[in-house]
Amino acid sequence: FSRRSPAPARRHIVKNRLAIMSTPAPMWGLSAQNSKVMPPRNFNIASKVQKSSIEQPLSCRVHPVAVLKILDAFVRRPEGAKRIIGTLLGWISEGSIVDITDCFPIVHRDTEEQAFMDQDYHKQMLALRQKVSPREVVVGWFATGSEINPLSANIHKFYCTKESQFTATAVLPGPVHLLVDTNLSGQTFGMKAYVNVRTAAAENLLQFHEVPLRVQTSAAEKSGISQLMQARRANRDAVASGQGPKDIASLDGFEGGLKELLGLFRRIQEYVKAVQSGKVVEGDMQVGRGLTQALCSEPVIDADAVEKL
């Protein structure tokens, strides 16, 4: 990263009045060991990342599952809590692209002067998650809100240490900070990703630079989101027509997905019968190859064995 910040970027330097979270607090499960690393005194915020033309710029892709978990955790936040924080999981793919595939919230408490987080809970949740998906590693942390506040400096400092189990690489030397605007302060739902860049002139400064971010959806995630949107529209139409909100059983998208799949099977069956009977003179070779590939990709299961399950 270039030391020189871009011209249009606004740089705010605020005084960090916080102490790093090393004070013993049994109710929050914090470690009793005191950290010898001094916390950063302040940090800078820039809007772009400048890199040389030789280096490939860093970018992030966040999957809908991670976004939905952040929003769900914010809705279920403790009474009186203004924001939530948590750990981002994912991996580095395609050179310099960071895939944020999942996340989990961390128990924490914010005060005017300090921020306390349950580090033991972070370690336990990470160990459980890696048993299910070993490929997913810590790539950063998230927070809700519209801007980076002074408390973010110390939380980011924790994710830079080995205690967070973040491993620095040449592509990602520091953890990613994902900021999710749950207050809807803008016209659209806002998400921004930042990385910190160390300054050789002042080691006690943390510079948060914004990096490109986009939402990446797979075919399965698109299908799930489509079912959620259909259920939401059905519930909204029912309320508008005076029928009242529908129960969760009627909004279950699994039954609708099975009906749609059954309809596709019937269309395929009719097309194959039409080709065999000669109603369709020349069948589509691509359709035939696609059907053969789909049928051969799944193992043949005995119906009797399925009934005995």
PDB file of all heavy atoms in Angstrom, residues 70-71 74 77 81-86 108 110 141-149 152 177-186 188-194:
ATOM      1  N   ILE A  70     -25.246 -11.897  10.404  1.00  0.00           N
ATOM      2  CA  ILE A  70     -24.977 -10.613  11.058  1.00  0.00           C
ATOM      3  C   ILE A  70     -26.281  -9.904  11.387  1.00  0.00           C
ATOM      4  O   ILE A  70     -26.471  -9.382  12.498  1.00  0.00           O
ATOM      5  CB  ILE A  70     -24.076  -9.743  10.171  1.00  0.00           C
ATOM      6  CG1 ILE A  70     -22.687 -10.380  10.033  1.00  0.00           C
ATOM      7  CG2 ILE A  70     -23.947  -8.332  10.746  1.00  0.00           C
ATOM      8  CD1 ILE A  70     -21.784  -9.655   9.047  1.00  0.00           C
ATOM      9  N   LEU A  71     -27.198  -9.880  10.437  1.00  0.00           N
ATOM     10  CA  LEU A  71     -28.481  -9.217  10.674  1.00  0.00           C
ATOM     11  C   LEU A  71     -29.289  -9.945  11.740  1.00  0.00           C
ATOM     12  O   LEU A  71     -29.945  -9.309  12.581  1.00  0.00           O
ATOM     13  CB  LEU A  71     -29.270  -9.142   9.363  1.00  0.00           C
ATOM     14  CG  LEU A  71     -28.633  -8.320   8.238  1.00  0.00           C
ATOM     15  CD1 LEU A  71     -29.498  -8.374   6.989  1.00  0.00           C
ATOM     16  CD2 LEU A  71     -28.420  -6.877   8.674  1.00  0.00           C
ATOM     17  N   PHE A  74     -27.896  -9.090  15.073  1.00  0.00           N
ATOM     18  CA  PHE A  74     -28.240  -7.723  15.477  1.00  0.00           C
ATOM     19  C   PHE A  74     -29.674  -7.654  15.997  1.00  0.00           C
ATOM     20  O   PHE A  74     -29.956  -6.942  16.969  1.00  0.00           O
ATOM     21  CB  PHE A  74     -28.064  -6.776  14.291  1.00  0.00           C
ATOM     22  CG  PHE A  74     -28.380  -5.338  14.611  1.00  0.00           C
ATOM     23  CD1 PHE A  74     -27.492  -4.553  15.321  1.00  0.00           C
ATOM     24  CD2 PHE A  74     -29.581  -4.771  14.214  1.00  0.00           C
ATOM     25  CE1 PHE A  74     -27.785  -3.232  15.632  1.00  0.00           C
ATOM     26  CE2 PHE A  74     -29.885  -3.454  14.512  1.00  0.00           C
ATOM     27  CZ  PHE A  74     -28.970  -2.684  15.218  1.00  0.00           C
ATOM     28  N   ARG A  77     -29.744  -9.050  19.536  1.00  0.00           N
ATOM     29  CA  ARG A  77     -28.740  -8.485  20.445  1.00  0.00           C
ATOM     30  C   ARG A  77     -29.339  -8.245  21.836  1.00  0.00           C
ATOM     31  O   ARG A  77     -30.556  -8.063  21.977  1.00  0.00           O
ATOM     32  CB  ARG A  77     -28.205  -7.172  19.875  1.00  0.00           C
ATOM     33  CG  ARG A  77     -29.210  -6.026  19.874  1.00  0.00           C
ATOM     34  CD  ARG A  77     -28.668  -4.838  19.087  1.00  0.00           C
ATOM     35  NE  ARG A  77     -29.564  -3.694  19.152  1.00  0.00           N
ATOM     36  CZ  ARG A  77     -30.631  -3.529  18.387  1.00  0.00           C
ATOM     37  NH1 ARG A  77     -30.931  -4.452  17.492  1.00  0.00           N
ATOM     38  NH2 ARG A  77     -31.387  -2.449  18.505  1.00  0.00           N
ATOM     39  N   ALA A  81     -27.834  -3.027  24.035  1.00  0.00           N
ATOM     40  CA  ALA A  81     -26.644  -3.058  23.181  1.00  0.00           C
ATOM     41  C   ALA A  81     -26.891  -2.246  21.912  1.00  0.00           C
ATOM     42  O   ALA A  81     -27.930  -2.377  21.273  1.00  0.00           O
ATOM     43  CB  ALA A  81     -26.281  -4.495  22.829  1.00  0.00           C
ATOM     44  N   LYS A  82     -25.934  -1.415  21.553  1.00  0.00           N
ATOM     45  CA  LYS A  82     -26.062  -0.561  20.379  1.00  0.00           C
ATOM     46  C   LYS A  82     -25.498  -1.205  19.118  1.00  0.00           C
ATOM     47  O   LYS A  82     -25.852  -0.805  18.010  1.00  0.00           O
ATOM     48  CB  LYS A  82     -25.369   0.777  20.629  1.00  0.00           C
ATOM     49  CG  LYS A  82     -26.008   1.593  21.751  1.00  0.00           C
ATOM     50  CD  LYS A  82     -25.295   2.921  21.918  1.00  0.00           C
ATOM     51  CE  LYS A  82     -25.949   3.748  23.029  1.00  0.00           C
ATOM     52  NZ  LYS A  82     -25.269   5.047  23.222  1.00  0.00           N
ATOM     53  N   ARG A  83     -24.611  -2.171  19.291  1.00  0.00           N
ATOM     54  CA  ARG A  83     -24.015  -2.824  18.127  1.00  0.00           C
ATOM     55  C   ARG A  83     -23.582  -4.227  18.521  1.00  0.00           C
ATOM     56  O   ARG A  83     -23.591  -4.609  19.701  1.00  0.00           O
ATOM     57  CB  ARG A  83     -22.821  -2.026  17.607  1.00  0.00           C
ATOM     58  CG  ARG A  83     -21.614  -2.041  18.543  1.00  0.00           C
ATOM     59  CD  ARG A  83     -20.380  -1.529  17.850  1.00  0.00           C
ATOM     60  NE  ARG A  83     -19.207  -1.627  18.713  1.00  0.00           N
ATOM     61  CZ  ARG A  83     -17.959  -1.464  18.293  1.00  0.00           C
ATOM     62  NH1 ARG A  83     -17.732  -1.193  17.023  1.00  0.00           N
ATOM     63  NH2 ARG A  83     -16.954  -1.568  19.119  1.00  0.00           N
ATOM     64  N   ILE A  84     -23.207  -5.004  17.521  1.00  0.00           N
ATOM     65  CA  ILE A  84     -22.662  -6.336  17.743  1.00  0.00           C
ATOM     66  C   ILE A  84     -21.351  -6.446  16.979  1.00  0.00           C
ATOM     67  O   ILE A  84     -21.119  -5.741  15.986  1.00  0.00           O
ATOM     68  CB  ILE A  84     -23.632  -7.448  17.284  1.00  0.00           C
ATOM     69  CG1 ILE A  84     -23.914  -7.313  15.781  1.00  0.00           C
ATOM     70  CG2 ILE A  84     -24.904  -7.431  18.076  1.00  0.00           C
ATOM     71  CD1 ILE A  84     -24.600  -8.502  15.184  1.00  0.00           C
ATOM     72  N   ILE A  85     -20.491  -7.320  17.455  1.00  0.00           N
ATOM     73  CA  ILE A  85     -19.239  -7.612  16.774  1.00  0.00           C
ATOM     74  C   ILE A  85     -19.119  -9.123  16.651  1.00  0.00           C
ATOM     75  O   ILE A  85     -19.829  -9.879  17.326  1.00  0.00           O
ATOM     76  CB  ILE A  85     -18.018  -7.038  17.510  1.00  0.00           C
ATOM     77  CG1 ILE A  85     -17.869  -7.719  18.882  1.00  0.00           C
ATOM     78  CG2 ILE A  85     -18.132  -5.534  17.673  1.00  0.00           C
ATOM     79  CD1 ILE A  85     -16.590  -7.352  19.601  1.00  0.00           C
ATOM     80  N   GLY A  86     -18.228  -9.578  15.791  1.00  0.00           N
ATOM     81  CA  GLY A  86     -18.052 -11.007  15.617  1.00  0.00           C
ATOM     82  C   GLY A  86     -16.884 -11.319  14.704  1.00  0.00           C
ATOM     83  O   GLY A  86     -16.199 -10.428  14.196  1.00  0.00           O
ATOM     84  N   HIS A 108     -19.820  -9.423  23.885  1.00  0.00           N
ATOM     85  CA  HIS A 108     -18.988  -8.263  24.198  1.00  0.00           C
ATOM     86  C   HIS A 108     -19.818  -7.221  24.929  1.00  0.00           C
ATOM     87  O   HIS A 108     -21.048  -7.304  25.001  1.00  0.00           O
ATOM     88  CB  HIS A 108     -18.382  -7.670  22.933  1.00  0.00           C
ATOM     89  CG  HIS A 108     -19.276  -6.711  22.214  1.00  0.00           C
ATOM     90  ND1 HIS A 108     -20.440  -7.109  21.575  1.00  0.00           N
ATOM     91  CD2 HIS A 108     -19.204  -5.366  22.059  1.00  0.00           C
ATOM     92  CE1 HIS A 108     -21.018  -6.060  21.047  1.00  0.00           C
ATOM     93  NE2 HIS A 108     -20.299  -4.987  21.332  1.00  0.00           N
ATOM     94  N   ASP A 110     -19.665  -2.820  25.415  1.00  0.00           N
ATOM     95  CA  ASP A 110     -19.048  -1.525  25.144  1.00  0.00           C
ATOM     96  C   ASP A 110     -19.370  -0.550  26.254  1.00  0.00           C
ATOM     97  O   ASP A 110     -20.517  -0.472  26.719  1.00  0.00           O
ATOM     98  CB  ASP A 110     -19.546  -0.945  23.805  1.00  0.00           C
ATOM     99  CG  ASP A 110     -19.001  -1.716  22.615  1.00  0.00           C
ATOM    100  OD1 ASP A 110     -17.931  -2.340  22.764  1.00  0.00           O
ATOM    101  OD2 ASP A 110     -19.640  -1.702  21.555  1.00  0.00           O
ATOM    102  N   TRP A 141     -12.974  -9.503  11.183  1.00  0.00           N
ATOM    103  CA  TRP A 141     -14.069  -9.350  12.136  1.00  0.00           C
ATOM    104  C   TRP A 141     -15.064  -8.348  11.575  1.00  0.00           C
ATOM    105  O   TRP A 141     -14.764  -7.583  10.653  1.00  0.00           O
ATOM    106  CB  TRP A 141     -13.543  -8.895  13.490  1.00  0.00           C
ATOM    107  CG  TRP A 141     -12.942  -7.518  13.500  1.00  0.00           C
ATOM    108  CD1 TRP A 141     -11.738  -7.136  12.978  1.00  0.00           C
ATOM    109  CD2 TRP A 141     -13.525  -6.339  14.056  1.00  0.00           C
ATOM    110  NE1 TRP A 141     -11.526  -5.803  13.178  1.00  0.00           N
ATOM    111  CE2 TRP A 141     -12.603  -5.273  13.840  1.00  0.00           C
ATOM    112  CE3 TRP A 141     -14.712  -6.072  14.721  1.00  0.00           C
ATOM    113  CZ2 TRP A 141     -12.848  -3.974  14.261  1.00  0.00           C
ATOM    114  CZ3 TRP A 141     -14.953  -4.772  15.143  1.00  0.00           C
ATOM    115  CH2 TRP A 141     -14.029  -3.744  14.912  1.00  0.00           C
ATOM    116  N   PHE A 142     -16.287  -8.366  12.127  1.00  0.00           N
ATOM    117  CA  PHE A 142     -17.334  -7.463  11.662  1.00  0.00           C
ATOM    118  C   PHE A 142     -17.885  -6.673  12.826  1.00  0.00           C
ATOM    119  O   PHE A 142     -17.744  -7.045  14.013  1.00  0.00           O
ATOM    120  CB  PHE A 142     -18.457  -8.233  10.961  1.00  0.00           C
ATOM    121  CG  PHE A 142     -19.294  -9.072  11.893  1.00  0.00           C
ATOM    122  CD1 PHE A 142     -20.380  -8.533  12.585  1.00  0.00           C
ATOM    123  CD2 PHE A 142     -19.012 -10.420  12.089  1.00  0.00           C
ATOM    124  CE1 PHE A 142     -21.153  -9.301  13.443  1.00  0.00           C
ATOM    125  CE2 PHE A 142     -19.769 -11.196  12.952  1.00  0.00           C
ATOM    126  CZ  PHE A 142     -20.842 -10.635  13.629  1.00  0.00           C
ATOM    127  N   ALA A 143     -18.534  -5.581  12.495  1.00  0.00           N
ATOM    128  CA  ALA A 143     -19.234  -4.756  13.467  1.00  0.00           C
ATOM    129  C   ALA A 143     -20.379  -4.066  12.751  1.00  0.00           C
ATOM    130  O   ALA A 143     -20.322  -3.826  11.541  1.00  0.00           O
ATOM    131  CB  ALA A 143     -18.302  -3.717  14.099  1.00  0.00           C
ATOM    132  N   THR A 144     -21.432  -3.782  13.481  1.00  0.00           N
ATOM    133  CA  THR A 144     -22.553  -3.049  12.920  1.00  0.00           C
ATOM    134  C   THR A 144     -22.400  -1.573  13.248  1.00  0.00           C
ATOM    135  O   THR A 144     -21.870  -1.200  14.292  1.00  0.00           O
ATOM    136  CB  THR A 144     -23.885  -3.565  13.487  1.00  0.00           C
ATOM    137  OG1 THR A 144     -23.879  -3.456  14.914  1.00  0.00           O
ATOM    138  CG2 THR A 144     -24.105  -5.017  13.093  1.00  0.00           C
ATOM    139  N   GLY A 145     -22.884  -0.745  12.342  1.00  0.00           N
ATOM    140  CA  GLY A 145     -22.771   0.694  12.517  1.00  0.00           C
ATOM    141  C   GLY A 145     -22.475   1.360  11.188  1.00  0.00           C
ATOM    142  O   GLY A 145     -22.264   0.703  10.159  1.00  0.00           O
ATOM    143  N   SER A 146     -22.459   2.661  11.194  1.00  0.00           N
ATOM    144  CA  SER A 146     -22.236   3.426   9.966  1.00  0.00           C
ATOM    145  C   SER A 146     -20.824   3.980   9.851  1.00  0.00           C
ATOM    146  O   SER A 146     -20.444   4.459   8.787  1.00  0.00           O
ATOM    147  CB  SER A 146     -23.232   4.596   9.885  1.00  0.00           C
ATOM    148  OG  SER A 146     -23.108   5.430  11.040  1.00  0.00           O
ATOM    149  N   GLU A 147     -20.027   3.925  10.920  1.00  0.00           N
ATOM    150  CA  GLU A 147     -18.672   4.449  10.870  1.00  0.00           C
ATOM    151  C   GLU A 147     -17.797   3.741  11.893  1.00  0.00           C
ATOM    152  O   GLU A 147     -18.293   3.127  12.841  1.00  0.00           O
ATOM    153  CB  GLU A 147     -18.669   5.957  11.137  1.00  0.00           C
ATOM    154  CG  GLU A 147     -19.211   6.348  12.494  1.00  0.00           C
ATOM    155  CD  GLU A 147     -19.249   7.846  12.705  1.00  0.00           C
ATOM    156  OE1 GLU A 147     -18.949   8.595  11.751  1.00  0.00           O
ATOM    157  OE2 GLU A 147     -19.558   8.265  13.823  1.00  0.00           O
ATOM    158  N   ILE A 148     -16.490   3.842  11.672  1.00  0.00           N
ATOM    159  CA  ILE A 148     -15.529   3.254  12.596  1.00  0.00           C
ATOM    160  C   ILE A 148     -15.370   4.185  13.789  1.00  0.00           C
ATOM    161  O   ILE A 148     -15.131   5.378  13.623  1.00  0.00           O
ATOM    162  CB  ILE A 148     -14.176   3.029  11.904  1.00  0.00           C
ATOM    163  CG1 ILE A 148     -14.345   2.067  10.726  1.00  0.00           C
ATOM    164  CG2 ILE A 148     -13.152   2.486  12.887  1.00  0.00           C
ATOM    165  CD1 ILE A 148     -13.080   1.845   9.933  1.00  0.00           C
ATOM    166  N   ASN A 149     -15.513   3.637  14.988  1.00  0.00           N
ATOM    167  CA  ASN A 149     -15.384   4.458  16.188  1.00  0.00           C
ATOM    168  C   ASN A 149     -14.086   4.127  16.914  1.00  0.00           C
ATOM    169  O   ASN A 149     -13.383   3.180  16.554  1.00  0.00           O
ATOM    170  CB  ASN A 149     -16.600   4.253  17.101  1.00  0.00           C
ATOM    171  CG  ASN A 149     -16.790   2.799  17.497  1.00  0.00           C
ATOM    172  OD1 ASN A 149     -15.833   2.033  17.582  1.00  0.00           O
ATOM    173  ND2 ASN A 149     -18.031   2.410  17.722  1.00  0.00           N
ATOM    174  N   SER A 152     -13.065   0.538  17.882  1.00  0.00           N
ATOM    175  CA  SER A 152     -12.675  -0.426  16.849  1.00  0.00           C
ATOM    176  C   SER A 152     -11.175  -0.642  16.811  1.00  0.00           C
ATOM    177  O   SER A 152     -10.711  -1.698  16.368  1.00  0.00           O
ATOM    178  CB  SER A 152     -13.163   0.063  15.479  1.00  0.00           C
ATOM    179  OG  SER A 152     -14.564   0.216  15.461  1.00  0.00           O
ATOM    180  N   HIS A 177     -11.865  -5.818   8.163  1.00  0.00           N
ATOM    181  CA  HIS A 177     -12.923  -5.289   9.031  1.00  0.00           C
ATOM    182  C   HIS A 177     -14.143  -4.992   8.168  1.00  0.00           C
ATOM    183  O   HIS A 177     -14.091  -4.150   7.274  1.00  0.00           O
ATOM    184  CB  HIS A 177     -12.455  -4.021   9.734  1.00  0.00           C
ATOM    185  CG  HIS A 177     -13.528  -3.365  10.568  1.00  0.00           C
ATOM    186  ND1 HIS A 177     -14.479  -4.093  11.251  1.00  0.00           N
ATOM    187  CD2 HIS A 177     -13.823  -2.059  10.798  1.00  0.00           C
ATOM    188  CE1 HIS A 177     -15.294  -3.267  11.885  1.00  0.00           C
ATOM    189  NE2 HIS A 177     -14.925  -2.026  11.614  1.00  0.00           N
ATOM    190  N   LEU A 178     -15.235  -5.720   8.426  1.00  0.00           N
ATOM    191  CA  LEU A 178     -16.479  -5.537   7.685  1.00  0.00           C
ATOM    192  C   LEU A 178     -17.420  -4.691   8.519  1.00  0.00           C
ATOM    193  O   LEU A 178     -17.756  -5.054   9.650  1.00  0.00           O
ATOM    194  CB  LEU A 178     -17.117  -6.891   7.364  1.00  0.00           C
ATOM    195  CG  LEU A 178     -18.431  -6.855   6.562  1.00  0.00           C
ATOM    196  CD1 LEU A 178     -18.178  -6.323   5.159  1.00  0.00           C
ATOM    197  CD2 LEU A 178     -19.050  -8.254   6.497  1.00  0.00           C
ATOM    198  N   LEU A 179     -17.858  -3.574   7.965  1.00  0.00           N
ATOM    199  CA  LEU A 179     -18.762  -2.653   8.656  1.00  0.00           C
ATOM    200  C   LEU A 179     -20.128  -2.732   7.992  1.00  0.00           C
ATOM    201  O   LEU A 179     -20.269  -2.441   6.799  1.00  0.00           O
ATOM    202  CB  LEU A 179     -18.220  -1.231   8.604  1.00  0.00           C
ATOM    203  CG  LEU A 179     -18.902  -0.183   9.491  1.00  0.00           C
ATOM    204  CD1 LEU A 179     -18.737  -0.541  10.954  1.00  0.00           C
ATOM    205  CD2 LEU A 179     -18.327   1.200   9.225  1.00  0.00           C
ATOM    206  N   VAL A 180     -21.142  -3.143   8.754  1.00  0.00           N
ATOM    207  CA  VAL A 180     -22.499  -3.325   8.232  1.00  0.00           C
ATOM    208  C   VAL A 180     -23.391  -2.249   8.835  1.00  0.00           C
ATOM    209  O   VAL A 180     -23.514  -2.142  10.059  1.00  0.00           O
ATOM    210  CB  VAL A 180     -23.045  -4.727   8.577  1.00  0.00           C
ATOM    211  CG1 VAL A 180     -24.452  -4.909   8.012  1.00  0.00           C
ATOM    212  CG2 VAL A 180     -22.118  -5.804   8.050  1.00  0.00           C
ATOM    213  N   ASP A 181     -24.007  -1.450   7.979  1.00  0.00           N
ATOM    214  CA  ASP A 181     -24.862  -0.352   8.424  1.00  0.00           C
ATOM    215  C   ASP A 181     -26.276  -0.877   8.653  1.00  0.00           C
ATOM    216  O   ASP A 181     -27.081  -0.968   7.734  1.00  0.00           O
ATOM    217  CB  ASP A 181     -24.854   0.780   7.382  1.00  0.00           C
ATOM    218  CG  ASP A 181     -25.642   1.997   7.849  1.00  0.00           C
ATOM    219  OD1 ASP A 181     -26.009   2.037   9.037  1.00  0.00           O
ATOM    220  OD2 ASP A 181     -25.880   2.902   7.028  1.00  0.00           O
ATOM    221  N   THR A 182     -26.563  -1.234   9.877  1.00  0.00           N
ATOM    222  CA  THR A 182     -27.897  -1.729  10.225  1.00  0.00           C
ATOM    223  C   THR A 182     -28.871  -0.598  10.531  1.00  0.00           C
ATOM    224  O   THR A 182     -30.075  -0.847  10.681  1.00  0.00           O
ATOM    225  CB  THR A 182     -27.818  -2.659  11.438  1.00  0.00           C
ATOM    226  OG1 THR A 182     -27.127  -1.984  12.507  1.00  0.00           O
ATOM    227  CG2 THR A 182     -27.073  -3.929  11.091  1.00  0.00           C
ATOM    228  N   ASN A 183     -28.370   0.625  10.625  1.00  0.00           N
ATOM    229  CA  ASN A 183     -29.251   1.763  10.887  1.00  0.00           C
ATOM    230  C   ASN A 183     -29.916   2.290   9.626  1.00  0.00           C
ATOM    231  O   ASN A 183     -30.797   3.157   9.704  1.00  0.00           O
ATOM    232  CB  ASN A 183     -28.457   2.899  11.543  1.00  0.00           C
ATOM    233  CG  ASN A 183     -27.880   2.494  12.884  1.00  0.00           C
ATOM    234  OD1 ASN A 183     -28.500   1.743  13.620  1.00  0.00           O
ATOM    235  ND2 ASN A 183     -26.686   2.980  13.193  1.00  0.00           N
ATOM    236  N   LEU A 184     -29.478   1.786   8.461  1.00  0.00           N
ATOM    237  CA  LEU A 184     -30.013   2.225   7.164  1.00  0.00           C
ATOM    238  C   LEU A 184     -29.939   3.746   7.053  1.00  0.00           C
ATOM    239  O   LEU A 184     -30.905   4.418   6.704  1.00  0.00           O
ATOM    240  CB  LEU A 184     -31.453   1.736   6.986  1.00  0.00           C
ATOM    241  CG  LEU A 184     -31.651   0.214   7.011  1.00  0.00           C
ATOM    242  CD1 LEU A 184     -33.120  -0.133   6.861  1.00  0.00           C
ATOM    243  CD2 LEU A 184     -30.838  -0.456   5.918  1.00  0.00           C
ATOM    244  N   SER A 185     -28.752   4.282   7.373  1.00  0.00           N
ATOM    245  CA  SER A 185     -28.562   5.725   7.292  1.00  0.00           C
ATOM    246  C   SER A 185     -28.530   6.218   5.857  1.00  0.00           C
ATOM    247  O   SER A 185     -28.821   7.384   5.588  1.00  0.00           O
ATOM    248  CB  SER A 185     -27.260   6.123   8.000  1.00  0.00           C
ATOM    249  OG  SER A 185     -26.153   5.420   7.445  1.00  0.00           O
ATOM    250  N   GLY A 186     -28.201   5.343   4.912  1.00  0.00           N
ATOM    251  CA  GLY A 186     -28.200   5.715   3.506  1.00  0.00           C
ATOM    252  C   GLY A 186     -29.455   5.250   2.809  1.00  0.00           C
ATOM    253  O   GLY A 186     -30.373   4.683   3.416  1.00  0.00           O
ATOM    254  N   THR A 188     -29.545   2.937   0.562  1.00  0.00           N
ATOM    255  CA  THR A 188     -29.447   1.498   0.348  1.00  0.00           C
ATOM    256  C   THR A 188     -28.760   0.851   1.542  1.00  0.00           C
ATOM    257  O   THR A 188     -28.170   1.528   2.385  1.00  0.00           O
ATOM    258  CB  THR A 188     -28.658   1.183  -0.934  1.00  0.00           C
ATOM    259  OG1 THR A 188     -27.350   1.766  -0.828  1.00  0.00           O
ATOM    260  CG2 THR A 188     -29.359   1.749  -2.159  1.00  0.00           C
ATOM    261  N   PHE A 189     -28.860  -0.466   1.599  1.00  0.00           N
ATOM    262  CA  PHE A 189     -28.196  -1.230   2.659  1.00  0.00           C
ATOM    263  C   PHE A 189     -26.701  -1.173   2.427  1.00  0.00           C
ATOM    264  O   PHE A 189     -26.202  -1.633   1.401  1.00  0.00           O
ATOM    265  CB  PHE A 189     -28.706  -2.658   2.654  1.00  0.00           C
ATOM    266  CG  PHE A 189     -28.064  -3.543   3.677  1.00  0.00           C
ATOM    267  CD1 PHE A 189     -28.313  -3.356   5.028  1.00  0.00           C
ATOM    268  CD2 PHE A 189     -27.219  -4.563   3.294  1.00  0.00           C
ATOM    269  CE1 PHE A 189     -27.729  -4.171   5.971  1.00  0.00           C
ATOM    270  CE2 PHE A 189     -26.639  -5.383   4.221  1.00  0.00           C
ATOM    271  CZ  PHE A 189     -26.893  -5.183   5.573  1.00  0.00           C
ATOM    272  N   GLY A 190     -25.963  -0.614   3.374  1.00  0.00           N
ATOM    273  CA  GLY A 190     -24.542  -0.356   3.168  1.00  0.00           C
ATOM    274  C   GLY A 190     -23.646  -1.353   3.879  1.00  0.00           C
ATOM    275  O   GLY A 190     -23.855  -1.679   5.044  1.00  0.00           O
ATOM    276  N   MET A 191     -22.642  -1.824   3.168  1.00  0.00           N
ATOM    277  CA  MET A 191     -21.583  -2.657   3.723  1.00  0.00           C
ATOM    278  C   MET A 191     -20.253  -2.178   3.159  1.00  0.00           C
ATOM    279  O   MET A 191     -20.148  -1.917   1.960  1.00  0.00           O
ATOM    280  CB  MET A 191     -21.790  -4.133   3.378  1.00  0.00           C
ATOM    281  CG  MET A 191     -22.934  -4.796   4.096  1.00  0.00           C
ATOM    282  SD  MET A 191     -22.943  -6.589   3.809  1.00  0.00           S
ATOM    283  CE  MET A 191     -23.082  -6.643   2.018  1.00  0.00           C
ATOM    284  N   LYS A 192     -19.259  -2.077   4.017  1.00  0.00           N
ATOM    285  CA  LYS A 192     -17.929  -1.655   3.597  1.00  0.00           C
ATOM    286  C   LYS A 192     -16.895  -2.559   4.231  1.00  0.00           C
ATOM    287  O   LYS A 192     -17.068  -3.019   5.362  1.00  0.00           O
ATOM    288  CB  LYS A 192     -17.664  -0.197   3.993  1.00  0.00           C
ATOM    289  CG  LYS A 192     -18.547   0.811   3.267  1.00  0.00           C
ATOM    290  CD  LYS A 192     -18.193   2.233   3.668  1.00  0.00           C
ATOM    291  CE  LYS A 192     -19.058   3.242   2.938  1.00  0.00           C
ATOM    292  NZ  LYS A 192     -18.720   4.644   3.306  1.00  0.00           N
ATOM    293  N   ALA A 193     -15.818  -2.794   3.505  1.00  0.00           N
ATOM    294  CA  ALA A 193     -14.717  -3.622   3.993  1.00  0.00           C
ATOM    295  C   ALA A 193     -13.460  -2.774   4.081  1.00  0.00           C
ATOM    296  O   ALA A 193     -13.183  -1.963   3.191  1.00  0.00           O
ATOM    297  CB  ALA A 193     -14.485  -4.826   3.076  1.00  0.00           C
ATOM    298  N   TYR A 194     -12.718  -2.968   5.161  1.00  0.00           N
ATOM    299  CA  TYR A 194     -11.497  -2.200   5.390  1.00  0.00           C
ATOM    300  C   TYR A 194     -10.357  -3.148   5.740  1.00  0.00           C
ATOM    301  O   TYR A 194     -10.569  -4.231   6.297  1.00  0.00           O
ATOM    302  CB  TYR A 194     -11.680  -1.205   6.547  1.00  0.00           C
ATOM    303  CG  TYR A 194     -12.737  -0.156   6.328  1.00  0.00           C
ATOM    304  CD1 TYR A 194     -14.051  -0.392   6.715  1.00  0.00           C
ATOM    305  CD2 TYR A 194     -12.433   1.058   5.748  1.00  0.00           C
ATOM    306  CE1 TYR A 194     -15.032   0.568   6.531  1.00  0.00           C
ATOM    307  CE2 TYR A 194     -13.405   2.027   5.554  1.00  0.00           C
ATOM    308  CZ  TYR A 194     -14.703   1.774   5.950  1.00  0.00           C
ATOM    309  OH  TYR A 194     -15.667   2.730   5.755  1.00  0.00           O
TER     310      TYR A 194
END
